[in-house]
């Protein structure tokens, strides 16, 4: 498809993510958002009018059935990612899906298989890897590098950040899990991207949900009970040790809530033989987030590159997705890396359930 060919998009989902998807497509020349689907009639009508989207549906099946669509963008509760994406791929549409790709590894693998069988693009919203500090560090690791990287410490911690306590976010059937499946995919994606996509081979994990069950930790108290759920069914903290096929270890901790100093802090720390590096993002900081540690002529040196982070994650990754669709070169864009990330999350949950290490 050439740049001159209009691409027609349908978006499923009316929340923050769905709105962000629609607005991101509308900012790309030659892309038209022609359909929107969701279950909240008033919100659907409001977004349709404010964003100028002509076709509005209460059921996602009606949107996917539109023959003129080139792309379906999925921004729904996690449990719907697989059925909507599979139906769209089988209908010949390209799919952009919110993370996680699916709530179970077998669903994710099926999505990848169908994308490949129908030769359609399947992309996931891993927008955090597009951060300027992550991109800078990736270039630094390529040259000059920090030697062999043998261990990683990776965390995203919140003090009181359970999204929609007692909403779909804390429903096991709708979300598939809690903090690990919500924030975890972003952290995992950054780590594997920086390491050059090793395969994770084992996972040993534990999960806890004591604070959420006690009613503590809501990010927005006004969103409590938004989904009518009366119990907290997922974890508010997950901790894991992962091993890769390159002999690396990854210490991985994700939390929505905790009586701790950490409050919306993201940390990715890489330990190499010749140096180290840490991205520390406190409360979505935009400057001073990256430090590189080296030993030069016997002296310990801390290097802080002047990197400014501009939050354009979703527009950037959606623009890249559109470029891939227009290129016609779709062979390496069937969601393979996203599938592996789902397999890792699945293994963590299984390890926690069994109380032992799980082999992927």
């Amino acid at each position: 498809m050439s740049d001159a060919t209009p691409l027609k998009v349908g978006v499923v989902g009316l929340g923050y993510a769905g709105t962000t998807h629609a607005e991101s497509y509308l900012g790309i020349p030659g892309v038209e958002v022609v359909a929107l689907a969701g279950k909240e009639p008033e919100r659907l009508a409001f977004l349709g009018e404010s964003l100028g989207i002509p076709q509005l549906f209460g059921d996602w099946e009606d949107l996917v059935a539109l023959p003129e669509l080139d792309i379906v963008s999925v921004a729904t509760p996690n449990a719907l990612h697989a059925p909507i994406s599979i139906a769209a791929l089988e209908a010949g549409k390209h799919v952009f899906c919110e993370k996680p790709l699916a709530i179970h590894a077998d669903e994710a693998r099926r999505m990848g298989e169908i994308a490949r069988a129908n030769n359609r693009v399947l992309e996931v919203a891993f927008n955090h890897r597009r951060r300027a500090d992550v991109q800078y560090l990736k270039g630094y690791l390529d040259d000059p590098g920090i030697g062999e990287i043998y261990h990683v410490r990776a965390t995203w911690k919140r003090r009181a950040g359970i999204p929609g306590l007692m909403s779909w976010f804390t429903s096991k059937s709708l979300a598939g899990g809690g903090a690990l499946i919500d924030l975890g995919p972003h952290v995992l994606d950054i780590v594997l991207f920086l390491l050059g996509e090793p395969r994770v081979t084992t996972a040993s994990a534990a999960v806890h949900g004591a604070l959420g069950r006690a009613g503590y930790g809501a990010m927005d108290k006004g969103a409590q009970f938004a989904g009518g759920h009366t119990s907290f069914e997922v974890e508010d903290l997950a901790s894991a040790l992962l091993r890769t096929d390159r002999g690396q270890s990854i210490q991985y901790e994700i939390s929505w809530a905790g009586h701790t100093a950490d409050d919306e802090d993201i940390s990715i720390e890489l330990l190499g033989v010749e140096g180290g590096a840490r991205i520390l993002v406190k409360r979505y900081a935009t400057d001073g987030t990256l430090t590189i540690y080296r030993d030069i002529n016997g002296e310990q040196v801390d290097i802080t590159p002047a990197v400014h982070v501009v939050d354009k994650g979703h527009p950037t990754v959606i623009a890249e997705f559109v470029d891939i669709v227009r290129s016609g070169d779709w062979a390496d864009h069937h969601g393979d890396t996203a599938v592996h990330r789902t397999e890792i999350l699945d293994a963590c949950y299984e390890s926690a359930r069994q109380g032992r290490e799980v082999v992927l």
Side-chain angles (χ1 to χ4, degrees):
M1 305 183 74
S2 71
D3 288 348
T5 304
L7 286 174
K8 297 186 184 299
V9 179
V11 177
V12 185
L14 307 179
Y16 171 78
T19 305
T20 302
H21 285 208
E23 292 174 341
S24 297
Y25 288 113
L26 290 170
I28 303 173
V31 177
E32 302 172 3
V33 180
V34 300
L36 181 65
K39 290 296 187 183
E40 299 83 13
E42 291 184 2
R43 177 72 176 169
L44 181 63
F46 169 76
L47 289 176
E49 181 177 357
S50 62
L51 299 177
I53 302 173
Q55 301 186 70
L56 307 178
F57 301 97
D59 296 316
W60 64 262
E61 292 92 341
D62 294 329
L63 181 145
V64 169
L66 291 174
E68 66 267 31
L69 291 186
D70 302 295
I71 291 169
V72 171
S73 212
V74 183
T76 63
N78 301 341
L80 292 173
H81 290 184
I84 297 172
S85 297
I86 288 172
L89 291 165
E90 289 180 332
K93 277 69 167 167
H94 303 283
V95 170
F96 183 85
C97 184
E98 268 302 316
K99 56 75 194 170
L101 182 60
I103 63 175
H104 298 298
D106 56 351
E107 290 179 336
R109 285 189 287 266
R110 178 68 177 148
M111 293 163 74
E113 291 167 358
I114 293 173
R116 187 171 292 103
N118 288 276
N119 192 27
R120 288 297 179 269
V121 178
L122 174 60
E123 181 63 84
V124 176
F126 289 132
N127 52 299
H128 282 263
R129 71 157 68 178
R130 274 76 178 179
R131 291 177 54 94
D133 45 11
V134 175
Q135 291 293 320
Y136 184 99
L137 180 54
K138 177 60 175 174
Y140 189 94
L141 294 175
D142 292 338
D143 184 23
I146 59 173
E148 178 186 353
I149 299 172
Y150 56 89
H151 184 65
V152 178
R153 302 186 186 106
T155 63
W156 188 335
K157 300 178 184 177
R158 289 175 174 170
R159 186 165 181 171
I162 300 175
L165 184 62
M166 308 305 180
S167 73
W168 74 262
F169 276 99
T170 60
S171 163
K172 179 70 172 176
S173 62
L174 292 176
L180 181 62
I181 206 167
D182 176 35
L183 305 178
H186 285 308
V187 176
L188 193 57
D189 181 68
I190 293 172
V191 170
L192 297 181
F193 170 69
L194 290 174
L195 293 180
E197 297 300 332
R199 303 292 292 182
V200 170
T201 56
T202 66
S204 181
V207 299
H208 303 277
L211 293 182
R213 288 194 298 271
Y216 173 81
M219 176 183 287
D220 178 3
K221 294 186 185 300
Q224 285 187 256
F225 307 106
H229 299 285
T230 58
S231 62
F232 183 86
E233 302 168 349
V234 296
E235 81 286 348
D236 52 58
L237 182 146
S239 180
L241 177 66
L242 312 176
R243 292 185 175 88
T244 79
D245 57 359
R246 301 175 189 173
Q248 299 151 321
S249 51
I250 301 170
Q251 186 179 331
Y252 183 48
E253 185 173 314
I254 308 295
S255 65
W256 271 343
H259 297 295
T260 172
D262 301 305
D263 185 15
E264 201 65 79
D265 295 347
I266 303 170
S267 177
I268 310 292
E269 188 174 10
L270 309 179
L271 303 183
V273 174
E274 298 172 9
R278 188 185 190 191
I279 294 173
L280 176 59
V281 184
K282 299 182 74 65
R283 297 294 302 177
Y284 298 102
T286 58
D287 296 279
T289 57
L290 172 61
T291 306
I292 297 166
Y293 305 93
R294 305 205 72 106
D295 193 316
I296 300 176
N297 298 323
E299 297 290 333
Q300 294 178 344
V301 177
D302 297 353
I303 304 167
T304 305
V307 180
H308 176 67
V309 176
V310 179
D311 184 14
K312 293 185 178 179
H314 268 90
T316 299
V317 71
I318 285 176
E320 291 174 359
F321 166 69
V322 168
D323 286 343
I324 292 167
V325 170
R326 282 179 166 154
S327 75
D329 184 9
W330 307 329
D332 296 323
H333 300 284
H334 302 315
D336 291 345
T337 58
V339 170
H340 185 51
R341 283 142 178 74
T342 305
E343 291 173 333
I344 297 165
L345 297 173
D346 221 10
C348 288
Y349 281 122
E350 185 63 18
S351 170
R353 189 184 70 81
Q354 295 187 22
R356 64 175 182 84
E357 185 175 77
V358 167
V359 177
L360 275 73

